[in-house]
Amino acid sequence: MAKAQTPQRIRGTQDIFGEEEARFAHVVATFERVRRLYGFRRVELPVFEATAVFARSLGETTDVVSKEMYTFEDRGGDSLTLRPEFTAGIARAYLTEGWQQFAPLKIAAHGPVFRYERPQKGRFRQFHQIDAEVLGAAEPLADVELLAFAAQLIRELGIADGVTLKLNTLGDAETRDAWRAALVEHFEAARGELSEDSQKRLDKNPLRILDSKDARDRPVADAAPGIDQFLTGAAADFFGKVTAGLDAAGVAWTRDDRLVRGLDYYRHTAFEFVTDRLGAQGTVLAGGRYDGLVESLGGAPTPGVGWAAGIERLGMLAEAPAFDVCDVALVIEDDAALADGLRVADRLRAAALSVEIVAGGSPRKRFDKGVKLGAGEVVAIGWRDGAATLRVRPGSGEEQAADVLRTSDLALIPA
Ligand code: ATP
Ligand code: MG
């Protein structure tokens, strides 16, 4: 019989291990630590939702909905979609779980998200996001706090040097309509120079052209009018409060008056933390205010502001964390001492020390093997005259194991 072929990993997915895993875990642990400092509550949500959750809140004309979603019919005939982002699912839960009672609600989440894109460095089909949202807060202070949270996260990951916060406002509805009209006029005049995708966007969602990654669109997009001349008094006032708050909180930012976000629901504040260290995948963290999203899901008008960041992209920028060595290498020098060795390991682990047991292979080589692990201490359990013996050798760490064993009830003969 022919040998069965091993099924391959699906294109655009990852098996995260070793140094990559250490970076990944470092990003998540830092996010977990910093989100507590800002009072964001953790939430776990389904990985799939009714397709309408994303189609309605993100908008049918967005890249994500029109090209990138993993949508399928389940066995019951319902149309489901693997989440391409967190915000829409959080807004859905806010409505269906009655979380309005907690407003203003500060929520943090992380986990896998799915988008059908062309895989390349820093771009996957299953990737992972950390996400922060504030629902039910209309004040600019929410935007400021959320950005301060993001900035502190980036600082604590040690990547602030290569990362810049680009900030814009998309104004209120009146502002956006006026800007949109000016953009349409600008792009219509140069229709022939635009990519096919952007010619389509021109009819459906002209703001998106500003966001295009197609090199053919860049000259026309970069020459487009910025938003400032169209800001209403109220929109300018809101933006002024956000920037004043950022300055007071010590969050550095630069203005980009043509920055837009890919999704339909953004209003007022829009921002991206960008780097030039990841090639074409320059955006590491992005978000903004989305007054209007909850309404698109059938809820009462609810202000919201949030951001999401790719864990992989942040991990690629961060310094690799130090390799995790164990506190104690526990060498069983004689097989007769195995049971005593396991008792020792139990005591050490109960005292929160990590232990690696070295018990296999030639007994004469085990001690050297234990030393090579580079642990904080090496504990050797031998066997003499029908009883277990104990020897502790200091390594790179403090004498924690020696202390634990000295005060434990284990009767082992000093070797
Ligand atoms: P891009 O412009 O790179 O496609 P986006 O605007 O689609 O990003 P968002 O929807 O704002 O991205 O998602 C937030 C963050 O998620 C991005 O800033 C990025 O760090 C990360 N991200 C988005 N798509 C991918 C992907 N396919 N693979 C890995 N990370 C991604
Ligand atoms: Mg994208």
Side-chain angles (χ1 to χ4, degrees):
M1 207 176 87
K3 202 170 152 222
Q5 267 211 339
T6 305
Q8 297 301 295
R9 179 169 52 71
I10 300 296
R11 201 164 121 78
T13 64
Q14 318 169 73
D15 298 308
I16 304 167
F17 183 66
E19 189 193 301
E20 246 180 314
E21 192 283 330
R23 290 168 182 275
F24 191 102
H26 176 55
V27 172
V28 174
T30 309
F31 174 70
E32 276 296 298
R33 183 156 42 73
V34 178
R35 65 99 182 152
R36 284 196 182 87
L37 304 178
Y38 288 81
F40 281 65
R41 298 166 69 174
R42 274 275 286 135
V43 66
E44 293 289 346
L45 294 168
V47 165
F48 53 82
E49 298 273 357
T51 299
V53 169
F54 305 110
R56 280 170 58 182
S57 54
L58 277 59
E60 300 280 357
T61 64
T62 57
D63 279 358
V64 170
V65 173
S66 62
K67 303 195 269 208
E68 297 176 355
M69 292 206 306
Y70 277 91
T71 297
F72 59 97
E73 223 175 70
D74 75 0
R75 288 168 193 276
D78 292 323
S79 178
L80 305 182
T81 294
L82 301 183
R83 66 179 174 210
E85 55 123 60
F86 278 92
T87 316
I90 290 173
R92 189 276 304 151
Y94 185 79
L95 294 172
T96 60
E97 307 313 304
W99 291 349
Q100 294 99 326
Q101 62 178 308
F102 305 119
L105 178 60
K106 296 189 279 185
I107 287 271
H110 61 81
V113 294
F114 307 83
R115 294 184 192 179
Y116 192 79
E117 299 194 73
R118 194 167 67 78
Q120 50 198 294
K121 183 185 165 200
R123 189 175 295 283
F124 310 96
R125 288 182 173 174
Q126 176 176 337
F127 61 104
H128 300 78
Q129 282 185 338
I130 49 177
D131 185 280
E133 312 285 341
V134 186
L135 282 155
E139 313 76 42
L141 176 62
D143 310 47
V144 172
E145 282 269 276
L146 200 77
L147 278 161
F149 172 7
Q152 181 162 358
L153 172 72
I154 281 171
R155 230 172 25 245
E156 298 211 0
L157 286 171
I159 61 175
D161 258 356
V163 175
T164 314
L165 165 57
K166 291 203 299 183
L167 185 68
N168 196 16
T169 174
L170 303 175
D172 45 23
E174 192 184 324
T175 304
R176 236 179 114 121
D177 288 348
W179 189 34
R180 191 190 141 101
L183 287 171
V184 169
E185 195 177 320
H186 172 80
F187 289 128
E188 279 296 355
R191 184 180 266 274
E193 295 158 50
L194 295 172
S195 66
E196 300 78 53
D197 269 354
S198 282
Q199 293 186 18
K200 273 186 227 145
R201 289 185 185 116
L202 186 43
D203 303 321
K204 289 186 181 149
N205 200 331
L207 265 64
R208 284 294 139 57
I209 301 174
L210 294 174
D211 211 16
S212 169
K213 289 185 188 67
D214 195 313
R216 287 172 292 173
D217 295 329
R218 288 322 315 168
V220 187
D222 292 336
I227 195 169
D228 280 356
Q229 52 186 304
F230 306 103
L231 286 179
T232 60
D237 180 55
F238 191 96
F239 191 52
K241 286 186 172 133
V242 172
T243 56
L246 292 177
D247 293 341
V251 177
W253 56 276
T254 58
R255 180 72 198 282
D256 179 347
D257 66 354
R258 292 193 200 92
L259 181 122
V260 291
R261 298 282 310 133
L263 310 179
D264 275 350
Y265 50 64
Y266 285 100
R267 294 285 183 279
H268 291 294
T269 319
F271 54 86
E272 290 186 344
F273 285 78
V274 297
T275 176
D276 51 18
R277 287 167 53 202
L278 292 177
Q281 276 56 255
T283 309
V284 288
L285 184 152
R289 182 165 275 281
Y290 48 80
D291 301 355
L293 167 70
V294 173
E295 253 178 296
S296 71
L297 290 175
T302 307
V305 55
W307 55 251
I311 295 177
E312 290 87 351
R313 289 191 197 172
L314 289 171
M316 287 159 84
L317 289 175
E319 197 78 31
F323 186 71
D324 215 3
V325 286
C326 56
D327 297 317
V328 180
L330 177 61
V331 181
I332 312 297
E333 294 192 291
D334 190 312
D335 291 340
L338 180 60
D340 293 284
L342 289 172
R343 272 195 288 279
V344 168
D346 173 64
R347 293 300 197 289
L348 294 173
R349 288 172 177 149
L353 295 172
S354 60
V355 177
E356 201 66 55
I357 297 178
V358 182
S362 151
R364 286 191 305 125
K365 293 189 182 148
R366 289 181 197 169
F367 191 79
D368 287 346
K369 255 181 157 167
V371 171
K372 279 206 189 102
L373 288 178
E377 285 162 284
V378 182
V379 173
I381 311 292
W383 190 257
R384 203 172 58 218
D385 306 330
T389 65
L390 171 77
R391 183 155 51 104
V392 182
R393 190 180 114 149
S396 54
E398 293 150 34
E399 295 186 19
Q400 290 170 295
D403 285 347
V404 171
L405 295 173
R406 201 174 303 123
T407 57
S408 81
D409 58 339
L410 291 165
L412 301 176
I413 307 160

